[in-house]
Amino acid sequence: MPLHPPPLRHPGPGAHLGLKEAEAALVEHYPRLVRLAYLTLPPSLGRHRRVLAAHTAVQRALRGRARPAPAPGAEGVPAPRSGSGVVDGTRTPAYAAVRLRAVRHALAYGRTPRWWPGRVPPPAALRPSLPVVRGLRLFPRAGGMDEFTLDRTLADVPAPVRAALGLRLLESLSPDAARALLSEAGVADAGAAVRAAAQVAGSDHERARRMLGSGEFDPCTVQTRPGDLLRRRYRVRAGAAALALATLAGGFALTAGPDSGDAPSPAGARRVTVPGGALDPAALLRTSPAQWADTSRVDFSAWPPRGGRTGDRALLERALGSWAAPGPGTAVTATPGTAAVAPAQPPQLLFAGDVDGEAVVLFHDGGVRVVRYAEPLSGTASPALDFARSDEADVTTAAALTVSRTAASARYLLAPWVTEPATRDLLAPDTPARPLETDGDGITAAVPRPAEGGVCGSWPAMQLRSSERIVEKHAFLVTDLGELAPVHLTHTPAPGSGAPARQPREATSAEALTGWARTACSLRDLRRSGVRAVNNWRFAVQPLPGTRSTADWVCTRADTWRGPGRVLVQFAPPAASPTAPAEVVADRRNTALCSRFGQHVVAGTHWRSPAGAWYVLAAGSRAVRGVEVTGAVRGAAAGTTLAVRAPQDAAFRVTAELHDGGTAPSVR
């Protein structure tokens, strides 16, 4: 006869959850709990610390006072037996209680305690302790581009939204159950978090669930790498030297006596503690000149050292010393989200040489930052120190670095894989690119910079091509937005009838150049904001009422190195000039809109026809099946576009219905 497991005895409603039940639930489902905590924690922690913090959040779920156990069948705690009669351990009150505590701890990570004075976060010593791992760095296995894009998108949203996404997709909770759990975990507006998570997941929940279940988000299956071995070696040496100095100082104190008198420190002197060897020019990392053509990691780490002063120890010492402790007159700039701190380990040398009357040194700091040091070759001008992010750089975003810049032009050091450099004006799409001269080190001639103000009459850009040794026939555009690294420009064509969703592609085609001619001047608003890449997505084409013409709806998305993105929705009706700037109708910051995980976009604007009649026009992306306008003017239409007669200043609101039954509000 078939044997059935004995009935599972659960604590009754109001009973206290025992430690043994909680421990059993935690041990049995430890990997899924840690994955949920890892997803909830802020990506800004870095992968190593985020892995450790996820394990800590789950392990701390056993601590605390006993709480009444929720009853089986309560909201978020379904009955524990599946339809087949087999006990499902993830649906028990014990598991639900442990999951709640783990989510609460993950949400609380980095939150300023109520008793902590001011708005400055407490020091690391007062934050939750982590499991100690010495000598190793831990990180989950790298996923594909989809998983990487999702992780960067999740960096843009608050922790409650990430937790809601995990509860909905990984834990398969209903929206009401996820909302109830988040409310009990201390989230003020749990409903908003669940709705925002649905926007992040998009219409294809199974695809998003598969990505969240991949190795990219698995902190229990990790890869290890050694820490900084040189730094560890220097620490041992520094410790021995410090012990010797302490012994010598003690002996001096015994013999000198109180009347010796210590000389005061010079006014303004700065004391900086830097790991031993990090400031030693001899310890600088130098990549082989041929490595870029025989590596799977084509970024700044593949750059060899170039320039005529790579062996100038005095210059390198001054550059490293200024990096660690900038002098009083040093001009220091840093892109948003970049730490202007001393190196923690010996950096990589990219360039050292004389350019336009300055001695310039470029460093790459462990895959996270690039640093430029410049000092005048003559005169009394002060040195300059510039910091910029470089994490996750690739063939295009690591293609050039600024070595010299004036108000009118800039010169760049090109990556060793760049061939056929050229310049072009984005406001002259029909004009061919002009060849750009470079010297033996890969430094370009002066490239005009976009004007800071006044009339936007041109927008210079560089057109580069990667070597056939890594990517065949791969040309791309970059432009100067005031950062060390120029910004990569891409283009997403309009959706075709029945065609699959299109991905961003290089902005070198005639269609892409025509689109950028209408939107390039909007890049002015993105200067010095840490932008990594900008994509023009032509998400809709709208027939204009009373004419035989069409207008383009374009979503210009700027992705930053630190993660958050900014969106400009632009409306481009027919114009007398092919370079007439499009109208910016919406501006949204810190959003996933117009990315792979924010594919539903709707917007509206007023438009005057050639006959003088005013309309409200609205358009949505490919997943929209109907558009509705409410407010002072009302109207609805099937499809992705709508046009309604309306007064010039009529207030309105646009919403769209999606093919999957959901709705999308307009971007404002």
Side-chain angles (χ1 to χ4, degrees):
M1 58 180 296
L3 297 177
H4 297 282
L8 185 64
R9 298 184 181 276
H10 297 286
H16 286 274
L17 178 65
L19 181 60
K20 290 185 178 180
E21 290 90 343
E23 182 180 12
L26 186 147
V27 171
E28 181 180 359
H29 304 291
Y30 187 79
R32 67 185 299 159
L33 289 169
V34 177
R35 185 187 291 267
L36 178 61
Y38 182 84
L39 174 63
T40 304
L41 287 163
S44 59
L45 291 175
R47 290 185 295 176
H48 172 76
R49 188 169 181 83
R50 193 177 172 195
V51 166
L52 299 181
H55 286 271
T56 297
V58 174
Q59 293 171 19
R60 285 168 59 89
L62 288 179
R63 302 182 187 179
R65 300 174 60 183
R67 297 174 58 91
E75 184 70 18
V77 190
R81 191 174 298 277
S82 67
S84 63
V86 180
V87 174
D88 183 357
T90 67
R91 305 175 73 184
T92 65
Y95 177 78
V98 171
R99 179 178 60 194
L100 171 62
R101 293 176 184 173
V103 171
R104 182 183 292 118
H105 288 309
L107 289 170
Y109 189 90
R111 185 185 300 164
T112 303
R114 295 180 180 178
W115 51 265
W116 185 258
R119 297 183 178 181
V120 179
L126 298 180
R127 297 174 184 169
S129 59
L130 302 178
V132 177
V133 177
R134 297 186 180 277
L136 291 175
R137 305 291 294 176
L138 310 179
F139 51 93
R141 296 182 180 275
M145 183 55 66
D146 288 350
E147 288 80 3
F148 168 71
T149 305
L150 175 59
D151 194 39
R152 293 188 71 91
T153 300
L154 294 176
D156 294 352
V157 301
V161 177
R162 295 192 296 269
L165 187 67
L167 293 172
R168 292 282 289 116
L169 299 185
L170 295 178
E171 295 295 296
S172 299
L173 294 187
S174 68
D176 290 339
R179 187 182 306 111
L181 189 151
L182 291 174
S183 296
E184 191 169 357
V187 176
D189 193 348
V194 173
R195 290 191 295 272
Q199 293 291 330
V200 173
S203 58
D204 193 347
H205 285 197
E206 286 303 320
R207 179 170 175 268
R209 181 180 286 110
R210 287 195 300 271
M211 285 188 284
L212 291 178
S214 67
E216 180 87 14
F217 299 94
D218 182 7
C220 289
T221 305
V222 298
Q223 293 178 313
T224 62
R225 292 291 185 272
D228 184 2
L229 301 179
L230 289 175
R231 182 179 179 183
R232 196 183 313 167
R233 180 182 179 188
Y234 287 127
R235 277 179 174 173
V236 174
R237 292 183 177 179
L243 180 61
L245 287 175
T247 304
L248 180 62
F252 177 77
L254 291 174
T255 57
D259 295 330
S260 300
D262 294 330
S265 299
R270 302 180 61 182
R271 299 182 62 188
V272 179
T273 301
V274 179
L279 304 183
D280 183 3
L284 289 172
L285 303 180
R286 298 170 185 253
T287 301
S288 166
Q291 179 170 325
W292 65 268
D294 191 24
T295 179
S296 60
R297 181 179 175 183
V298 185
D299 58 13
F300 291 114
S301 66
W303 281 36
R306 287 172 286 176
R309 301 183 68 175
T310 55
D312 190 335
R313 182 180 179 89
L315 171 62
L316 299 178
E317 282 183 339
R318 291 194 299 274
L320 291 168
S322 181
W323 181 355
T330 302
V332 180
T333 64
T335 58
T338 307
V341 297
Q345 58 190 16
Q348 175 189 354
L349 179 63
L350 303 180
F351 177 83
D354 297 337
V355 183
D356 296 339
E358 291 182 319
V360 178
V361 183
L362 295 175
F363 298 109
H364 182 226
D365 184 21
V368 178
R369 298 178 294 175
V370 287
V371 180
R372 175 184 178 270
Y373 170 82
E375 64 180 26
L377 295 177
S378 61
T380 59
S382 299
L385 196 62
D386 303 313
F387 295 86
R389 291 277 290 267
S390 65
D391 41 326
E392 306 295 348
D394 56 21
V395 173
T396 57
T397 52
L401 285 175
T402 306
V403 291
S404 175
R405 177 183 282 125
T406 66
S409 64
R411 299 180 67 188
Y412 302 92
L413 177 65
L414 300 181
W417 57 81
V418 168
T419 63
E420 303 179 25
T423 62
R424 69 180 316 137
D425 183 1
L426 294 183
L427 299 191
D430 296 329
T431 302
R434 297 176 297 276
L436 177 62
E437 294 184 357
T438 59
D439 65 13
D441 287 322
I443 296 179
T444 69
V447 178
R449 295 183 60 207
E452 294 277 350
V455 178
C456 182
S458 67
W459 197 278
M462 285 194 297
Q463 180 170 302
L464 309 176
R465 182 179 295 275
S466 56
S467 169
E468 294 184 358
R469 297 171 68 181
I470 55 172
V471 180
E472 187 175 359
K473 297 181 180 179
H474 182 217
F476 53 94
L477 293 183
V478 295
T479 191
D480 187 295
L481 289 185
E483 314 281 0
L484 272 181
V487 174
H488 181 209
L489 303 180
T490 57
H491 167 73
T492 303
S497 176
R502 302 195 179 191
Q503 301 301 323
R505 56 196 67 184
E506 299 304 339
T508 53
S509 67
E511 179 185 358
L513 293 172
T514 300
W516 272 110
R518 300 291 304 272
T519 58
C521 291
S522 65
L523 294 173
R524 281 184 168 181
D525 293 337
L526 305 176
R527 291 182 188 272
R528 301 179 185 88
S529 56
V531 174
R532 180 177 187 268
V534 184
N535 179 56
N536 255 359
W537 174 27
R538 190 169 163 230
F539 68 88
V541 178
Q542 179 166 25
L544 296 175
T547 74
R548 296 182 179 180
S549 303
T550 59
D552 288 339
W553 288 87
V554 180
C555 186
T556 302
R557 177 177 175 84
D559 287 308
T560 63
W561 290 98
R562 64 190 185 280
R566 180 179 175 184
V567 159
L568 300 175
V569 177
Q570 306 191 61
F571 176 69
S577 169
T579 62
E583 175 192 359
V584 177
V585 301
D587 185 349
R588 178 80 66 84
R589 300 170 187 263
N590 300 328
T591 179
L593 281 172
C594 304
S595 70
R596 185 170 299 181
F597 301 99
Q599 298 182 10
H600 309 319
V601 56
V602 185
T605 188
H606 292 93
W607 175 75
R608 184 182 183 184
S609 72
W614 282 95
Y615 291 83
V616 165
L617 303 182
S621 50
R622 60 181 295 119
V624 170
R625 73 175 182 182
V627 182
E628 182 180 9
V629 173
T630 57
V633 57
R634 292 181 174 273
T640 59
T641 62
L642 173 146
V644 181
R645 286 288 299 269
Q648 177 179 354
D649 299 322
F652 65 92
R653 175 173 296 179
V654 181
T655 57
E657 183 180 0
L658 307 177
H659 285 293
D660 63 1
T663 60
S666 64
V667 186
R668 294 180 177 271

